[in-house]
């Protein structure tokens, strides 16, 4: 099936399609990914905070049933395969966006799938803050809210950035999958041309672009995290 | 005045029921430097955390200038904690903030304006000798410098009490001395009551006026430092005064002797020439029963236990001779009480 992959006719056709559709597709992928990540952090970070401070010995203990309910919901959402989740949240998508197909519509299932993941990532970042540091803040009369906003989150910023990078790349992967049910972007192109019409060259091009995007996001994230971390500063001022 | 009244603290842990403090009563006068010393596991850290209510006592009361902290609401407690600040063994600085930001932290918590906080923080960094490090991050500083930042931070809210939880245990001897010196000068200049938790005799000897010895959750002795250490009555106190020596065997075998405790607090000469000189000048033969002295920058720190003949004149002459040496303290140790 690959024998005419590089014939002149195929190459010309592929180039035409790439010229016509790829710029929009890249834009759609980036837009969906970043927007979905932003919403996931908006929901996931506060939940991550609650998971840490709400524990029995935390700075703001929650009722045990509430904490357990939170944990169960997060685990539940994380165990549903993304493809199935997309279909399951159709009613919610229609309620929020008005339609279930299209680039913007795919943001809803992406956020539903990603925020529990982000909550777990935020939880693990925030747990890195030493209990001694929190005790110090308490000894100076910090309120629970002050401890969260002035100690826990600022002290774990480098780790939060690293984990946000993991979230972005994972959501990028999910967004490609959403091409199956009408989401836009590089994923849609790879499936429509490669899977349905056997235009493998287009599929490969789309995949290469996805790889490049992941590389870019990852290296920007790594650099930001390192730059933000004041513990790594060399002894010279 | 800090009054710890009949404080008990119990924990229910996975390993079972723990009685960390048993009926502890201590009075700490205002402006004092008060040491609480004990082996690890004696309950020191729990006790100091009861003073600012990081741990609530199971029974008893903590009164500071007549206010019983145990009866305060959480929000009142947060306010009063600005009067009772704390420094820690691990410094506990905010690693993502520079020195200035760290010192500003308690002022921000107290709702001070940014400019006001910054002005005060710079003053404090000057006081602790780090005026030039305002922009440096904790990771760029040495342990001693980090503890200085922590001290500046602890002073930011003009506290009445400074709690030091093993504040010098992670530092080398030279740095320990400079930090203790700083704490002493703060106590003198600002009149802040200082409570020092430590397992190191040298810390108590060099800085504290009063001491309480904590053993297995109980106060076994308390009083003036010289009094407690020269007449150690309890097992725990003896163990501190003679860290390695088996004291009982010392008494039995050399009962003809009396003991003089010599404390070197930065004396010029190291220990041995002083004892040798005493032998030459006064003709007193002293037997070194125990010694733990360190030479830091050409000065001697530590303590020594001398055995001399059981004779009042000899003992008094020796004590007078030793005491007349600058930065050396000497006192007789009586244990057969």
């Amino acid at each position: 099936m690959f024998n005419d992959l590089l014939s002149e006719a195929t190459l010309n056709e592929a180039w035409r399609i790439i010229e016509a559709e790829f710029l929009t597709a890249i834009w759609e992928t980036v837009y969906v990914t970043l927007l979905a990540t932003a919403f996931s952090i908006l929901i996931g970070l506060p939940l991550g905070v609650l998971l840490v401070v709400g524990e029995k010995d935390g700075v703001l203990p929650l009722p045990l049933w509430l904490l357990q309910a939170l944990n169960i919901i997060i685990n539940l959402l994380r165990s549903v395969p993304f493809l199935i989740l997309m279909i399951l949240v159709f009613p919610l998508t229609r309620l929020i966006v008005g339609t279930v197909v299209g680039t913007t519509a795919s943001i809803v299932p992406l956020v539903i799938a990603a925020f529990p993941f982000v909550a777990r990532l935020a939880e693990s970042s925030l747990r890195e803050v030493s209990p001694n540091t929190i005790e110090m803040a308490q000894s100076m009369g910090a309120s629970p809210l002050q401890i969260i906003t002035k100690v826990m989150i600022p002290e774990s910023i480098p780790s939060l950035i690293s984990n946000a990078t993991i979230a972005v790349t994972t959501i990028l992967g999910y967004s490609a999958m959403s091409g199956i049910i009408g989401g836009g972007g590089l994923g849609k192109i790879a499936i429509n041309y490669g899977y349905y019409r056997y235009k493998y060259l287009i599929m490969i091009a789309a995949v290469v672009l996805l790889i490049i995007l992941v590389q870019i996001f990852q290296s920007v994230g790594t650099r930001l995290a390192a730059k933000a971390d004041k513990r790594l500063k060399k002894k010279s001022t | 005045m800090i009054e710890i009244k009949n404080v008990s603290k119990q924990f229910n842990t996975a390993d079972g029921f723990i009685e960390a403090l048993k009926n502890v009563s201590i009075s700490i006068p205002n402006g004092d430097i008060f040491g609480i010393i004990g082996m690890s596991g004696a309950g020191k850290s729990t006790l100091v955390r009861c003073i600012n209510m990081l741990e609530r006592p199971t029974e008893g009361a903590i009164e500071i200038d007549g206010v019983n902290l145990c009866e305060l609401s959480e929000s009142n407690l947060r306010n009063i904690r600005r009067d009772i600040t704390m420094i820690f063994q691990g410094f506990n600085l905010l690693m993502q903030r520079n020195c200035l930001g760290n010192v500003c932290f308690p002022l921000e918590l107290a709702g001070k304006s940014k400019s006001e906080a910054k002005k005060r923080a710079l003053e404090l960094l000057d006081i602790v000798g780090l005026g030039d490090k305002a922009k440096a991050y904790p990771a760029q500083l040495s342990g001693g410098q980090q503890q200085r930042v922590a001290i500046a931070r602890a002073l930011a809210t003009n506290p009445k009490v400074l709690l030091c939880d093993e504040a010098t245990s992670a530092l080398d001897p030279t740095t320990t001395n400079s930090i203790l010196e700083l704490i002493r000068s703060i106590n003198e200049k600002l009149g802040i009551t200082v409570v020092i938790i430590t397992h190191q005799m040298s810390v108590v000897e060099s800085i504290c006026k009063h001491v309480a010895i904590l053993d297995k959750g109980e106060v076994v002795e308390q009083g003036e430092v010289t009094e407690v250490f020269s007449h150690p009555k309890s097992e725990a106190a003896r163990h501190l005064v003679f860290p390695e020596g088996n004291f009982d065997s010392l008494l039995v075998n050399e009962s003809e002797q009396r003991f003089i405790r010599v404390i070197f607090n930065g004396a010029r000469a190291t220990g041995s020439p002083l004892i040798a000189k005493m032998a030459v000048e006064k003709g007193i033969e002293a037997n070194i029963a125990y010694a733990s002295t360190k030479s830091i920058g050409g000065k001697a720190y530590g303590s020594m236990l001398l055995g001399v003949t059981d004779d009042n004149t000899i003992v008094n002459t020796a004590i007078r001779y030793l005491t007349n040496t600058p930065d050396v303290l000497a006192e007789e140790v009586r244990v057969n009480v």
Side-chain angles (χ1 to χ4, degrees):
Chain A
M1 65 190 205
F2 288 111
N3 43 11
D4 61 345
L5 192 64
L6 295 175
S7 72
E8 209 184 323
T10 334
L11 278 174
N12 282 338
E13 192 200 11
W15 183 244
R16 207 171 33 75
I17 296 167
I18 289 171
E19 260 191 325
E21 300 194 26
F22 266 48
L23 216 58
T24 329
I26 294 170
W27 161 245
E28 281 173 347
T29 295
V30 171
Y31 150 84
V32 164
T33 304
L34 292 184
L35 218 58
T37 309
F39 281 122
S40 306
I41 290 174
L42 221 58
I43 306 169
L45 181 62
L47 286 178
V49 169
L50 283 183
L51 288 173
V52 179
V53 300
E55 285 191 319
K56 195 160 75 61
D57 299 321
V59 293
L60 193 67
L62 291 176
L64 192 63
W65 64 267
L66 188 60
L67 197 67
Q68 273 174 346
L70 209 59
N71 268 304
I72 290 172
I73 292 169
I74 287 170
N75 291 344
L76 222 123
L77 285 171
R78 290 204 58 202
S79 27
V80 181
F82 180 61
L83 258 176
I84 298 171
L85 191 78
M86 277 194 295
I87 297 160
L88 283 176
V89 298
F90 270 171
L92 184 68
T93 312
R94 187 166 288 125
L95 192 75
I96 296 172
V97 192
T99 172
V100 294
V101 287
T103 312
T104 311
S106 69
I107 291 175
V108 176
L110 279 173
V111 172
I112 302 290
F115 87 80
F117 177 52
V118 170
R120 286 284 180 229
L121 290 173
E123 180 192 7
S124 82
S125 286
L126 294 167
R127 279 194 203 287
E128 288 170 27
V129 178
S130 146
N132 293 336
T133 307
I134 291 167
E135 186 187 46
M136 175 281 295
Q138 284 173 323
S139 82
M140 309 221 153
S143 68
L145 190 68
Q146 286 174 321
I147 292 176
I148 294 167
T149 57
K150 287 181 179 291
V151 179
M152 292 175 70
I153 294 178
E155 284 293 292
S156 51
I157 280 288
S159 169
L160 284 169
I161 294 175
S162 299
N163 278 337
T165 310
I166 295 177
V168 171
T169 51
T170 307
I171 291 171
L172 187 76
Y174 282 176
S175 86
M177 236 190 276
S178 73
I180 293 178
I181 56 138
L186 290 167
K188 183 183 83 178
I189 287 184
I191 288 163
N192 283 355
Y193 287 98
Y195 185 64
Y196 293 130
R197 291 195 238 160
Y198 309 113
K199 294 188 193 309
Y200 295 111
L201 206 58
I202 304 290
M203 185 174 74
I204 290 165
V207 170
V208 167
L209 278 170
L210 283 171
I211 293 170
I212 292 172
L213 279 180
V214 169
Q215 293 290 345
I216 292 173
F217 282 132
Q218 185 62 55
S219 50
V220 168
T222 309
R223 206 162 299 170
L224 282 180
K227 209 176 164 199
D229 197 345
K230 311 299 186 211
R231 289 169 298 183
L232 303 173
K233 286 265 166 78
K234 287 277 178 301
K235 287 201 177 190
S236 62
T237 29
Chain B
M1 182 88 152
I2 304 172
E3 288 196 80
I4 302 169
K5 291 182 175 169
N6 309 101
V7 164
S8 298
K9 174 74 188 179
Q10 290 131 20
F11 293 105
N12 272 312
T13 66
D15 305 327
F17 182 76
I18 294 171
E19 222 178 343
L21 296 173
K22 297 171 207 161
N23 202 25
V24 171
S25 292
I26 298 175
S27 292
I28 303 172
N30 281 341
D32 200 17
I33 302 184
F34 196 100
I36 297 174
I37 190 169
M39 299 290 137
S40 51
K44 309 182 294 281
S45 287
T46 309
L47 181 58
V48 75
R49 276 162 183 70
C50 282
I51 299 179
N52 62 5
M53 291 281 135
L54 284 176
E55 297 280 3
R56 278 184 179 273
T58 317
E59 282 165 47
I62 305 282
E63 286 181 14
I64 294 187
D65 292 336
V67 180
N68 185 353
L69 302 192
C70 302
E71 289 168 356
L72 293 179
S73 68
E74 274 298 320
S75 72
N76 282 336
L77 200 53
R78 268 179 230 139
N79 286 331
I80 215 158
R81 278 188 187 142
R82 288 174 202 150
D83 291 338
I84 318 159
T85 53
M86 196 167 177
I87 58 173
F88 305 84
Q89 177 168 8
F91 323 129
N92 298 354
L93 294 177
L94 297 168
M95 300 307 280
Q96 304 296 346
R97 283 191 182 209
N98 60 20
C99 295
L100 188 67
N102 267 286
V103 182
C104 285
F105 177 69
L107 296 163
E108 282 171 27
L109 296 180
K112 292 274 186 294
S113 76
K114 275 231 164 76
S115 59
E116 206 180 332
K118 193 177 160 191
K119 189 166 159 277
R120 172 106 181 105
L122 286 170
E123 277 171 29
L124 286 160
L125 283 172
D126 262 338
I127 290 178
V128 300
L130 290 176
D132 56 333
K133 296 282 185 201
K135 294 269 189 301
Y137 286 91
Q140 299 168 301
L141 302 179
S142 69
Q145 289 173 324
Q146 291 194 40
Q147 194 61 292
R148 281 169 186 271
V149 176
I151 291 171
R153 178 177 64 182
L155 296 177
T157 48
N158 280 317
K160 290 186 221 161
V161 181
L162 176 65
L163 306 174
C164 309
D165 182 23
E166 296 278 9
T168 56
S169 301
L171 302 172
D172 63 70
T174 317
T175 315
T176 295
N177 274 310
S178 74
I179 293 291
L180 292 177
E181 211 38 67
L182 178 64
I183 292 174
R184 196 208 315 269
S185 81
I186 284 163
N187 166 266
E188 278 167 9
K189 281 187 203 144
L190 309 174
I192 295 175
T193 310
V194 179
V195 180
I196 290 183
I197 299 293
T198 185
H199 66 274
Q200 294 168 307
M201 270 292 276
S202 55
V203 169
V204 175
E205 282 170 346
S206 63
I207 187 172
C208 297
K209 292 182 193 123
H210 294 91
V211 66
I213 298 173
L214 209 57
D215 185 35
K216 299 187 187 82
E218 286 175 285
V219 173
V220 288
E221 276 185 60
Q222 62 175 312
E224 284 193 23
V225 172
T226 42
E227 175 63 23
V228 169
F229 288 161
S230 55
H231 302 91
K233 296 182 193 80
S234 62
E235 189 64 40
R238 280 178 206 171
H239 192 73
L240 285 165
V241 177
F242 312 100
E244 289 151 29
N246 183 340
F247 194 75
D248 293 330
S249 71
L250 211 65
L251 276 184
V252 172
N253 297 337
E254 312 190 34
S255 52
E256 305 281 291
Q257 290 193 345
R258 277 161 70 178
F259 293 96
I260 297 173
R261 201 171 128 68
V262 190
I263 296 153
F264 296 90
N265 220 335
R268 276 294 152 77
T270 45
S272 341
L274 180 66
I275 310 305
K277 262 162 65 190
M278 183 169 79
V280 173
E281 290 174 24
K282 301 285 167 187
I284 298 173
E285 287 178 12
N287 159 30
I288 300 176
Y290 165 78
S292 167
T293 56
K294 287 186 275 275
S295 172
I296 301 163
K299 294 180 175 182
Y301 290 90
S303 60
M304 198 180 265
L305 191 69
L306 301 179
V308 292
T309 318
D310 184 3
D311 178 299
N312 275 339
T313 329
I314 291 178
V315 171
N316 291 337
T317 317
I319 289 178
R320 213 174 307 125
Y321 179 83
L322 293 165
T323 316
N324 281 338
T325 316
D327 298 313
V328 172
L329 293 175
E331 60 207 10
E332 190 181 355
V333 184
R334 292 175 201 271
V335 274
N336 40 347
V337 236

